[in-house]
Amino acid sequence: NNEIIQGLTKLRIEKLKETDNQLKEKIDFLFNNLQLVAENKPPLVTFSKTMHFFLPNLFMPIDRKFTLPFFYRKAPFNPKNHVPFSKDHQSQIQIFCDIFEQFRQFANKHRSSLETQINPNSRWNRNIPKIIDNIIIAYVINNTIK
């Protein structure tokens, strides 16, 4: 796992023109081989946050409170409604890849404006994946039924 992770350190989500098969294979390999949660638990959230920690310029954190509702529920968001998604392993990796692709496209399209917001001294805007995550959090908060 270390060799694959080290091999991805120079990649930045905003510079990826596409998610090629080689990157997809590496994501799939890590998703299937990093043993981050108990076997019967869904790995999506833990995997995304771990990968964001290791490779913050490439991977985005995904959470159940903001990211999943943003992509899988219509606004206005109702905190009482749970995001329905399958917990089986193959569905989890597909959700990760779908969200990754949406982040990649947004980062690529808005690269110049996102780069101006990077602040290594900030707790919140240290890299583009986290800036996009912050945009999603703000959007969900502002569009949640109180």
Side-chain angles (χ1 to χ4, degrees), residues 1 4 27-36 47 89:
N1 297 328
I4 291 174
I27 291 170
D28 191 57
F29 179 86
L30 292 169
F31 197 90
N32 288 315
N33 289 288
L34 287 173
Q35 310 249 322
L36 302 171
F47 175 78
H89 201 76

Side-chain angles (χ1 to χ4, degrees), residues 1-11 26 30 51 54-55 58-59:
N1 297 328
N2 184 39
E3 186 177 312
I4 291 174
I5 292 170
Q6 290 297 319
L8 297 172
T9 56
K10 293 182 180 175
L11 296 180
K26 289 177 181 180
L30 292 169
M51 294 312 297
F54 287 141
L55 300 164
L58 180 60
F59 292 111

Side-chain angles (χ1 to χ4, degrees), residues 87-144:
K87 294 180 181 181
D88 76 81
H89 201 76
Q90 195 55 42
S91 295
Q92 294 271 299
I93 184 65
Q94 187 61 52
I95 291 167
F96 179 85
C97 289
D98 291 347
I99 293 173
F100 179 84
E101 181 59 19
Q102 292 297 313
F103 266 71
R104 186 203 62 76
Q105 288 178 18
F106 187 87
N108 197 263
K109 184 176 182 178
H110 302 283
R111 179 178 170 184
S112 59
S113 61
L114 291 168
E115 287 176 335
T116 64
Q117 297 178 49
I118 294 173
N119 180 351
N121 299 320
S122 168
R123 182 174 165 207
W124 303 106
N125 292 337
R126 291 183 178 184
N127 51 63
I128 287 179
K130 186 59 185 151
I131 291 169
I132 299 170
D133 183 55
N134 294 338
I135 293 168
I136 290 171
I137 291 168
Y139 181 84
V140 171
I141 288 171
N142 288 325
N143 289 281
T144 297

Side-chain angles (χ1 to χ4, degrees), residues 60 72 93 138:
M60 63 289 161
Y72 293 97
I93 184 65

Side-chain angles (χ1 to χ4, degrees), residues 48-100:
S48 72
K49 290 183 178 191
T50 301
M51 294 312 297
H52 178 68
F53 178 77
F54 287 141
L55 300 164
N57 293 310
L58 180 60
F59 292 111
M60 63 289 161
I62 296 173
D63 61 34
R64 287 178 187 85
K65 187 172 182 181
F66 300 106
T67 318
L68 290 174
F70 178 79
F71 286 102
Y72 293 97
R73 268 197 266 154
K74 302 266 189 252
F77 303 101
N78 185 339
K80 294 179 183 175
N81 293 340
H82 296 287
V83 177
F85 66 92
S86 177
K87 294 180 181 181
D88 76 81
H89 201 76
Q90 195 55 42
S91 295
Q92 294 271 299
I93 184 65
Q94 187 61 52
I95 291 167
F96 179 85
C97 289
D98 291 347
I99 293 173
F100 179 84

